Amino acid sequence: MKGKNKPTSVDIAHLAGVSQPTVSRALRNSPLVSLATRQRVQQIARDLNYKVDVNARNLRSQRTNTLALLLFEDSGEREAFINPFFLSMLGSITRASAQQGYDLLISFQQLSDDWNAEYEDANKADGIIFLGYGDYTSYIKRISKLDHEGAHFVTWGPVIEDQPGLFVGSDNELGGFLAADHLIRLEHTRIAFLGDESNDYPEFRDRYAGYCRAHAKHGLEVDPRLRVNAFFSEECGYRAAHTLITSGVEFSAIACASDLIAIGAIKALREHGLKVPRDKAIVGFDDIPTAEHLAPSLTTIQQDTFAAGQALVDSVIRSINGETGESKLLPTRLIIRDSSGAKISL
Amino acid sequence: MKGKNKPTSVDIAHLAGVSQPTVSRALRNSPLVSLATRQRVQQIARDLNYKVDVNARNLRSQRTNTLALLLFEDSGEREAFINPFFLSMLGSITRASAQQGYDLLISFQQLSDDWNAEYEDANKADGIIFLGYGDYTSYIKRISKLDHEGAHFVTWGPVIEDQPGLFVGSDNELGGFLAADHLIRLEHTRIAFLGDESNDYPEFRDRYAGYCRAHAKHGLEVDPRLRVNAFFSEECGYRAAHTLITSGVEFSAIACASDLIAIGAIKALREHGLKVPRDKAIVGFDDIPTAEHLAPSLTTIQQDTFAAGQALVDSVIRSINGETGESKLLPTRLIIRDSSGAKISL
DNA sequence: TTGTAAGCGTTATCAG
DNA sequence: CTGATAACGCTTACAA
């Protein structure tokens, strides 16, 4: 049934009347092999549909030409649901690694799992890209360990000085600033912030920090009662907005720590008879594909997933090659649409 | 710098005072090894953080425990843009393969590329999952070849009798039927169809066939002028709708061959001052995440990506294990939202 | 420019 | 239940 007698380099060596290493060299286009033999060997290889056995190659060379992408999610997200922002990242990482000639092995992990799992230890991959939102205190430990072991990896997340390993991340502080600054310029002074309150998630913490800086810049006080706990999901955003509305705390706008939260918040507002942006202005964060199609279309902070994918892949590869990598902070930008009421009031 | 002296099974053998194959057996929990040695060996392995080198293992066993996912796109899609429907598929395939204990190697290909590339030939993977929309006539040839070579693969796409290889796909004909039937029940008699006209894309052809069947069932003629060429993207849908509107052909509803097409069509209608669903009713296809958030929310045909991912993974794995697999047709269902005007007119 | 020899770290096969 | 021995198919050194 299997029918396939895969040809080996030895077979080709026989047919071409050369030694087996010569075949190997010829196929790698080594200039050490004469043009004549090189072409002869390559022709035969093509005829037989010969493909180098990567396992043998990897075993011998101790290199896999493969990157592993570990996507971890902290909370018990609904099965088979992936945050659309990470899906975009996944797409751009896939393209970037293909472009660099690396295969990509992908894996979903629970943060609770034994993480680095075995990708580099088992020689499945030469390097690892970590992607996800996670509790910082929990993953910083694992990362330190990996770093000590000399693993090659890069993490998507907060870019902080003096932390082990390489990081690539968006400028969340800037994003938070831009969002709040935008709303303040639209004359909002009571702006709620829907995001994680624990400070364990540096992305969210930084977005809030930017929010605070915008307030400071405009001489506004930050009212802690306007910060409402919400995690990633639409569901969380919905509940948070509901809590906010029923709390009686006065507000005229909401800066959301993610687009999913914003979607949930809009839903909650609508159920309370509040119109966006007429009654409450909304700004999201991420710029997921859905954002532009929402009603009203969502003003949000865009993260450049394309650049992010490239930067992540470049970083790991540099690390693999022993070059000293550097962490990289990517700019975020404000995308003005309808939900913030900017177009109406301008 | 690399600092890592990865332990091998030989090291463990020394420490445990047993032969190296015994170590190997113990680690695989073989009952052939006495409980005592098994535990001793496993303890040492844990202490040293030993991980089996997969390249050595794969080379020797000629099995990789890895699946390859080839996502191909036919047209010159915008870089880094992936059809959201395939992104969902990708998510569910990733989960399903993890669940079955397989690693997943993913790769984007242009249909023009040398496809099967080398995944199975190079022993990178034990089996392949093909995902994408593609010109049937073009890929059927490649698939036949793979089939002859005894490769283990499954294709997402049209489930047709007597074609080589294994297929898993949605019941597109049913979906097309449900969409048109729904509109006809809402008293539409002039329903445009926006999708590929060439018949080279069986998914689209089947959706149109279902559309025709619904017309026949209700005793309606199908007007070929109502079939307008559109491919996958929002852009295509936009242009197609524009063409339709300016053509002067009368219509009161549109069945779109994908949600992206529907999004583009809605945009075009709006620009012509036509309201959905008041002036024109719309039904999409796929049920991408954005569909429910559109304004108006999109009535569409849902494909069960969760079941699809599982079925695909199950199929390849069965094929790998030499079991005779069977193609699988997954049901599609109508999701009624606002764009078809159902809720209003009922 | 080519060939020879060795070895990458496992698992398979046999014999004990 | 355990051990010796031989592969798996390639790349690297080194020799010619």
Side-chain angles (χ1 to χ4, degrees):
Chain A
M1 199 60 190
K2 292 197 69 180
K4 289 212 58 167
N5 269 354
K6 291 185 185 169
T8 70
S9 53
V10 175
D11 300 334
I12 297 181
H14 276 129
L15 290 174
V18 295
S19 76
Q20 181 269 338
T22 299
V23 171
S24 194
R25 292 190 273 252
L27 292 175
R28 315 181 92 227
N29 249 310
S30 160
L32 294 177
V33 178
S34 73
L35 188 63
T37 24
R38 223 188 305 165
Q39 292 184 331
R40 186 156 36 97
V41 167
Q42 293 184 345
Q43 185 56 51
I44 296 173
R46 233 173 291 129
D47 292 346
L48 298 185
N49 191 29
Y50 168 81
K51 292 287 169 355
V52 174
D53 182 311
V54 292
N55 296 303
R57 177 213 291 267
N58 294 348
L59 174 59
R60 180 59 239 238
S61 63
Q62 295 295 57
R63 229 170 171 283
T64 65
N65 239 271
T66 300
L67 264 25
L69 172 60
L70 296 206
L71 182 53
F72 53 85
E73 299 175 68
D74 203 359
S75 52
E77 296 278 354
R78 179 152 50 99
E79 268 302 310
F81 178 82
I82 308 175
N83 188 316
F85 171 71
F86 290 127
L87 238 24
S88 297
M89 290 290 289
L90 198 159
S92 82
I93 290 170
T94 305
R95 303 228 187 224
S97 66
Q99 212 168 16
Q100 302 273 2
Y102 276 78
D103 282 320
L104 189 70
L105 209 45
I106 88 171
S107 160
F108 291 177
Q109 311 251 323
Q110 301 294 50
L111 198 48
S112 46
D113 287 359
D114 189 14
W115 241 42
N116 66 326
E118 11 176 320
Y119 286 91
E120 197 169 344
D121 283 338
N123 283 333
K124 283 184 182 178
D126 298 330
I128 310 177
I129 296 173
F130 290 106
L131 186 60
Y133 288 135
D135 180 350
Y136 190 67
T137 50
S138 133
Y139 71 60
I140 197 71
K141 263 183 256 151
R142 317 212 196 199
I143 280 183
S144 302
K145 182 158 165 269
L146 278 180
D147 195 46
H148 278 301
E149 288 169 352
H152 307 287
F153 66 95
V154 58
T155 308
W156 170 256
V159 177
I160 300 173
E161 294 299 315
D162 298 328
Q163 62 188 357
L166 240 43
F167 282 74
V168 170
S170 284
D171 192 336
N172 291 297
E173 200 277 342
L174 174 63
F177 174 84
L178 291 172
D181 183 66
H182 174 65
L183 290 169
I184 295 171
R185 285 168 187 274
L186 293 171
E187 314 205 333
H188 292 281
T189 54
R190 302 284 304 165
I191 303 169
F193 181 89
L194 266 46
D196 172 71
E197 273 185 323
S198 71
N199 282 338
D200 290 337
Y201 295 78
E203 290 93 339
F204 285 3
R205 187 199 54 208
D206 291 349
R207 291 172 196 179
Y208 186 67
Y211 162 99
C212 293
R213 178 161 65 89
H215 280 69
K217 177 189 152 194
H218 290 279
L220 290 172
E221 291 275 322
V222 167
D223 182 347
R225 291 174 307 159
L226 287 171
R227 184 181 190 185
V228 183
N229 205 35
F231 217 50
F232 309 110
S233 65
E234 194 181 319
E235 180 64 20
C236 290
Y238 175 81
R239 274 187 309 224
H242 183 79
T243 304
L244 175 67
I245 296 164
T246 55
S247 73
V249 177
E250 188 198 341
F251 70 100
S252 65
I254 308 181
C256 300
S258 83
D259 285 349
L260 288 181
I261 290 175
I263 290 173
I266 290 173
K267 190 173 158 206
L269 289 170
R270 184 172 300 139
E271 289 185 7
H272 284 267
L274 297 165
K275 288 225 162 157
V276 177
R278 200 195 58 193
D279 301 320
K280 307 288 177 188
I282 300 266
V283 178
F285 206 111
D286 287 344
D287 197 25
I288 61 176
T290 298
E292 110 176 69
H293 297 297
L294 284 174
S297 61
L298 190 65
T299 293
T300 191
I301 303 298
Q302 182 179 68
Q303 303 198 59
D304 187 345
T305 54
F306 183 76
Q310 292 211 314
L312 286 166
V313 169
D314 285 357
S315 289
V316 225
I317 292 179
R318 265 208 300 274
S319 161
I320 291 168
N321 294 337
E323 302 164 35
T324 57
E326 41 185 34
S327 290
K328 191 162 181 183
L329 192 64
L330 302 167
T332 44
R333 48 191 276 257
L334 175 69
I335 306 289
I336 300 177
R337 298 206 183 91
D338 295 335
S339 69
S340 57
K343 292 175 179 170
I344 291 164
S345 64
L346 286 185
Chain B
M1 197 59 190
K2 295 198 65 178
K4 290 211 59 170
N5 269 355
K6 291 184 184 169
T8 70
S9 53
V10 174
D11 301 333
I12 298 181
H14 276 130
L15 291 174
V18 293
S19 77
Q20 182 269 338
T22 298
V23 171
S24 195
R25 291 191 274 253
L27 292 175
R28 316 180 90 227
N29 249 311
S30 160
L32 293 176
V33 178
S34 73
L35 188 64
T37 25
R38 222 187 307 164
Q39 292 185 331
R40 188 158 33 98
V41 167
Q42 294 184 344
Q43 184 56 51
I44 295 173
R46 232 172 293 129
D47 292 346
L48 298 185
N49 190 30
Y50 167 81
K51 292 286 168 356
V52 174
D53 182 310
V54 291
N55 296 303
R57 180 215 289 276
N58 294 348
L59 173 59
R60 182 60 243 234
S61 64
Q62 297 295 56
R63 227 170 173 285
T64 64
N65 238 272
T66 299
L67 264 25
L69 173 60
L70 295 207
L71 182 53
F72 53 86
E73 298 176 69
D74 202 358
S75 51
E77 296 278 354
R78 179 153 49 101
E79 269 302 310
F81 178 81
I82 309 174
N83 188 316
F85 171 72
F86 290 127
L87 237 25
S88 296
M89 290 290 290
L90 199 159
S92 82
I93 291 170
T94 305
R95 303 228 188 225
S97 65
Q99 213 168 15
Q100 302 275 2
Y102 276 78
D103 282 321
L104 189 70
L105 210 43
I106 88 171
S107 160
F108 291 178
Q109 312 250 323
Q110 300 295 48
L111 197 48
S112 46
D113 287 359
D114 190 13
W115 241 39
N116 66 325
E118 13 177 317
Y119 286 91
E120 195 169 345
D121 283 338
N123 283 334
K124 283 183 180 178
D126 298 330
I128 310 178
I129 296 173
F130 290 106
L131 186 59
Y133 287 135
D135 180 349
Y136 189 67
T137 51
S138 133
Y139 71 61
I140 196 72
K141 264 182 259 155
R142 317 210 195 198
I143 281 182
S144 302
K145 180 158 166 272
L146 278 180
D147 196 46
H148 278 302
E149 288 169 353
H152 308 289
F153 66 96
V154 59
T155 308
W156 170 256
V159 177
I160 300 174
E161 293 300 315
D162 298 326
Q163 63 188 354
L166 242 43
F167 282 74
V168 170
S170 284
D171 192 336
N172 291 296
E173 200 275 344
L174 175 64
F177 174 84
L178 292 172
D181 183 66
H182 173 66
L183 290 168
I184 295 171
R185 286 167 186 274
L186 294 170
E187 313 205 333
H188 293 281
T189 55
R190 303 284 305 167
I191 304 168
F193 181 89
L194 266 45
D196 172 71
E197 274 185 324
S198 70
N199 282 339
D200 290 339
Y201 296 77
E203 290 93 339
F204 284 3
R205 188 199 51 207
D206 291 350
R207 291 171 197 180
Y208 186 65
Y211 162 97
C212 293
R213 178 160 66 90
H215 280 69
K217 178 190 151 194
H218 291 278
L220 291 172
E221 290 274 322
V222 167
D223 182 345
R225 290 175 306 160
L226 287 171
R227 185 181 188 182
V228 183
N229 205 36
F231 218 49
F232 309 110
S233 66
E234 192 180 320
E235 181 63 20
C236 291
Y238 175 81
R239 273 185 310 222
H242 183 79
T243 304
L244 175 67
I245 295 164
T246 55
S247 74
V249 177
E250 189 198 340
F251 70 100
S252 64
I254 307 180
C256 300
S258 82
D259 285 350
L260 288 180
I261 290 175
I263 290 173
I266 290 173
K267 191 173 158 206
L269 289 169
R270 185 172 299 138
E271 289 186 6
H272 283 268
L274 296 165
K275 290 225 160 155
V276 177
R278 200 194 58 192
D279 302 321
K280 308 288 177 189
I282 299 267
V283 178
F285 206 112
D286 286 345
D287 196 24
I288 62 176
T290 298
E292 107 176 75
H293 298 297
L294 284 174
S297 61
L298 190 65
T299 293
T300 192
I301 303 298
Q302 182 179 68
Q303 304 198 59
D304 186 344
T305 54
F306 183 74
Q310 292 210 314
L312 285 165
V313 169
D314 285 357
S315 288
V316 227
I317 292 179
R318 265 207 302 272
S319 161
I320 291 167
N321 294 337
E323 303 165 35
T324 58
E326 42 185 34
S327 290
K328 192 162 182 182
L329 192 65
L330 302 167
T332 44
R333 48 192 276 257
L334 174 69
I335 306 290
I336 299 177
R337 298 205 182 92
D338 295 336
S339 68
S340 57
K343 291 176 180 169
I344 291 164
S345 64
L346 286 185

